[in-house]
Amino acid sequence: MHMGGLNIINSHDILETINMIDNENLDVRTITMGISLLDCADSNIDRACDKIYDKICRYAKDLVTTGEEISAQYGIPIINKRVAVTPIAMLAASCQTQSIVKFAKALDKAAHEIGVNFIGGYSALVQKGFAAGDYALIDSIPEALAATERVCSSVNIGSTKAGINMDAVAMMGGIIKKTAELTADRNCIGAAKLVVFCNAPEDNPFMAGAFHGVGEPDCVINVGVSGPGVVRAALAKSDNLDLAEVSDLIKKTAFKITRMGQLVAREASKRLCVPFGIVDLSLAPTPAIGDSVAHILEEMGLEMCGAHGTTAALALLNDAVKKGGIMASSHVGGLSGAFIPVTEDAGMIDAARCGTLTLNKLEAMTAVCSVGLDMINIPGDTPPEIISAIIADEAAIGMINSKTTAVRLIPAIGKKVGDELNFGGLLGSGPVMDVNPASPAVFIGRGGRIPAPIQSLKN
Amino acid sequence: MKAVITVIGKDTVGILAKVSNICAECDANITEVTQSVLQDLFAMIMLVDIDKLNIPFVELSQRLTKLGDEMNLKILTMHEDIFNSMHKI
């Protein structure tokens, strides 16, 4: 034994890591196990549900304890352990029954049994049209999300390759509203578990939009990292950087965060004997103080998130996170970018409350970051066709820019602009935001499919 | 395999002895020790060999955390791979 600097690991690095975890909310946001349910299809829905429940419980029985063991070994908090499954519409296709809510109940029961807080995949992929099972699934979403606690649902209504299925867009406006209505006694929380996508990734580990794509292996481990607090703190410690230097600093920080995610992903894959899929390089905020993406933008020099300049600052942040993260992981996927869920981000909640952050600005921001209009409370009396039109706008941004966009709006039933909805926990709380009331009803009522853009013809 | 034990808090008599004692009981061989100051707080960092550990790693970690609680110190026990991953290319 000798006193002095450790020759293997620099003591400054050790203290930096500990400080990131203790004071800057560094964590692994989620270990998500993707499980294929294609082999559980059955014409009898009860038999299919039994197979689903058994397979999830068999594959994921050690997921939570393994996550806890890895967390203890490395001293890193791993906040969520979750499961994503094959889009249930594909299983509904085989069933002779109209009411398929039993599938959601089976998923919920499995989630309780294995101890995961969310299970994703009550989903349908209808970007080019409806197949058997798709109508039944979409139709059942409001009831399924009201009757379960941990099930998350998503519907992919468009893609760069297929265009936008405007019939599905028109349906989803009403479905979102009905989902909020059926859970009005619980702060409309059903709608917080429902995402409408364009270009949905098939390996996304983050809820509520996670599902296990058909091109995925039987079982896979995907990991989502986080760390907005670490990025903000790094910027706060460095004065007078120009924006190229800001980008470099974010890249270095993102590299460290992602390496930690890669380590956890590899370790989880080894211990569970399940292939490692991807690390999702995301900055995912929580409502906790010091864990906000908005505060990073403000640290860059904006008085408040939503000010002019916000889109440019977010574009820089999003790009630097990817550049820093890409070299730190052998396989990158999922959503990979900065998230801007309003009710889950302390800085965005403040900016929305005082009116600096508006729906229009958020829409612009979604053109340069990873998801879309996420966790936004809108007035409870917003007509379904306006919700559909908001979805259409977001899908158009995603389709044209070959990126994922999504809409997760919560119609706050019985509330108006300025009132608050409080979901509690990671889903946070926030004000009801103003929506442009001019009617898009005729446009939405036309239906049909917006053709795939010229950008899709890459061959 | 090595673990890094970090003790953070107000400097008091006997920290090193008590941590070393637990390591010895668990067959964790201390290979290096260094001290730093982190925001006015004393920080002692120990590198220990855990290949011959006679209890599960998590138990060593829990015993040290408990000692920290008793002495009003923060004691963290983390596998070295976390630092190697984050700070080395």
Side-chain angles (χ1 to χ4, degrees):
Chain A
M1 187 170 97
H2 69 87
M3 305 297 280
L6 305 182
N7 58 19
I8 299 175
I9 310 163
N10 182 316
S11 58
H12 170 266
D13 292 343
I14 292 171
L15 294 175
E16 184 189 67
T17 295
I18 289 172
N19 191 44
M20 283 177 174
I21 294 168
D22 272 6
N23 301 320
E24 297 165 1
N25 296 307
L26 177 64
D27 56 51
V28 169
R29 185 50 47 84
T30 181
I31 299 180
T32 303
M33 178 182 274
I35 303 173
S36 169
L37 299 181
L38 289 171
D39 54 351
C40 300
D42 198 297
S43 57
N44 179 313
I45 189 167
D46 293 317
R47 270 204 305 270
C49 286
D50 287 346
K51 288 191 221 172
I52 287 172
Y53 176 83
D54 290 345
K55 183 164 185 184
I56 294 170
C57 292
R58 193 166 72 246
Y59 278 46
K61 67 178 189 305
D62 296 327
L63 176 64
V64 172
T65 48
T66 303
E68 284 163 0
E69 283 164 17
I70 295 170
S71 182
Q73 172 148 352
Y74 296 108
I76 315 161
I78 300 173
I79 307 297
N80 299 302
K81 295 81 171 174
R82 292 168 170 172
V83 167
V85 299
T86 305
I88 291 295
M90 293 178 188
L91 283 85
S94 308
C95 289
Q96 310 291 326
T97 165
Q98 276 302 303
S99 172
I100 60 159
V101 175
K102 279 180 179 172
F103 281 121
K105 290 180 177 165
L107 294 177
D108 204 42
K109 192 171 144 211
H112 279 91
E113 172 62 26
I114 57 177
V116 297
N117 58 359
F118 280 127
I119 185 162
Y122 200 76
S123 306
L125 312 178
V126 296
Q127 59 268 29
K128 210 163 183 178
F130 299 92
D134 290 338
Y135 273 120
L137 185 118
I138 293 174
D139 204 42
S140 73
I141 288 172
E143 195 190 335
L145 294 182
T148 59
E149 183 198 347
R150 303 185 182 181
V151 173
C152 292
S153 177
S154 56
V155 178
N156 191 66
I157 50 81
S159 74
T160 302
K161 276 281 180 194
I164 303 173
N165 178 350
M166 289 298 289
D167 294 323
V169 169
M171 273 181 86
M172 288 314 295
I175 293 291
I176 288 174
K177 189 143 185 197
K178 193 169 169 204
T179 303
E181 282 166 358
L182 290 188
T183 51
D185 57 335
R186 285 167 276 160
N187 287 308
C188 312
I189 197 161
K193 294 183 281 181
L194 171 57
V195 187
V196 185
F197 275 115
C198 178
N199 289 323
E202 304 207 332
D203 52 6
N204 163 26
F206 286 102
M207 295 297 170
F211 64 87
H212 186 74
V214 286
E216 296 283 309
D218 189 44
C219 189
V220 71
I221 287 290
N222 297 322
V223 164
V225 299
S226 184
V230 180
V231 174
R232 194 205 61 81
L235 287 172
K237 285 174 208 154
S238 316
D239 287 336
N240 297 323
L241 301 182
D242 77 15
L243 289 172
E245 291 164 335
V246 166
S247 171
D248 278 343
L249 184 63
I250 295 170
K251 276 154 64 180
K252 284 178 191 152
T253 311
F255 176 83
K256 291 175 188 172
I257 296 170
T258 310
R259 286 282 280 215
M260 186 193 72
Q262 168 84 11
L263 172 71
V264 167
R266 264 207 327 257
E267 192 65 27
S269 153
K270 194 170 88 189
R271 291 185 187 205
L272 291 162
C273 298
V274 169
F276 159 55
I278 56 97
V279 173
D280 189 319
L281 313 177
S282 286
L283 286 183
T286 68
I289 298 300
D291 208 16
S292 156
V293 168
H295 287 160
I296 299 175
L297 307 178
E298 291 167 8
E299 194 64 51
M300 282 190 212
L302 300 169
E303 183 184 352
M304 190 163 248
C305 179
H308 290 295
T310 299
T311 310
L314 182 60
L316 183 158
L317 171 67
N318 197 55
D319 181 63
V321 166
K322 283 188 252 189
K323 285 173 177 165
I326 192 88
M327 191 175 148
S329 174
S330 46
H331 297 282
V332 171
L335 294 162
S336 282
F339 293 173
I340 50 169
V342 176
T343 67
E344 298 176 7
D345 185 306
M348 292 203 193
I349 295 167
D350 289 343
R353 275 188 188 136
C354 74
T356 311
L357 185 62
T358 62
L359 208 56
N360 288 344
K361 192 64 186 174
L362 281 160
E363 184 180 321
M365 290 161 74
T366 65
V368 299
C369 75
S370 89
V371 199
L373 294 172
D374 197 14
M375 291 302 287
I376 297 170
N377 301 328
I378 58 170
D381 60 359
T382 308
E385 63 271 17
I386 289 188
I387 299 175
S388 293
I390 294 172
I391 294 170
D393 283 345
E394 271 306 299
I397 290 172
M399 174 181 76
I400 295 293
N401 295 299
S402 305
K403 73 181 286 290
T404 303
T405 47
V407 169
R408 184 162 49 147
L409 299 177
I410 302 98
I413 304 303
K415 303 203 175 197
K416 54 186 194 309
V417 174
D419 292 348
E420 296 258 333
L421 266 190
N422 186 353
F423 309 107
L426 282 177
L427 296 171
S429 64
V432 175
M433 296 176 74
D434 202 9
V435 170
N436 185 334
S439 176
V442 176
F443 176 70
I444 296 299
R446 285 175 186 268
R449 183 151 53 93
I450 295 182
I454 195 77
Q455 291 88 318
S456 69
L457 300 176
K458 286 187 174 164
N459 292 347
Chain B
M1 284 198 307
K2 293 207 163 97
V4 174
I5 300 171
T6 312
V7 183
I8 301 170
K10 209 163 159 280
D11 197 5
T12 39
V13 175
I15 298 176
L16 184 59
K18 284 182 180 159
V19 175
S20 308
N21 199 26
I22 290 178
C23 289
E25 282 170 20
C26 304
D27 283 338
N29 184 31
I30 300 169
T31 56
E32 292 188 46
V33 179
T34 185
Q35 294 185 18
S36 286
V37 173
L38 174 75
Q39 291 164 356
D40 305 328
L41 288 175
F42 165 79
M44 181 177 75
I45 302 169
M46 300 171 114
L47 198 63
V48 298
D49 193 322
I50 51 169
D51 282 336
K52 293 181 181 140
L53 215 55
N54 60 23
I55 55 169
F57 179 85
V58 174
E59 271 182 49
L60 170 67
S61 170
Q62 285 165 348
R63 282 190 65 180
L64 288 164
T65 306
K66 190 160 161 277
L67 172 69
D69 292 343
E70 287 162 11
M71 296 183 73
N72 206 15
L73 295 162
K74 190 176 191 86
I75 304 185
L76 301 161
T77 314
M78 297 154 83
H79 195 283
E80 65 166 340
D81 281 354
I82 174 79
F83 305 106
N84 290 331
S85 291
M86 285 179 74
H87 300 285
K88 286 182 183 169
I89 293 179

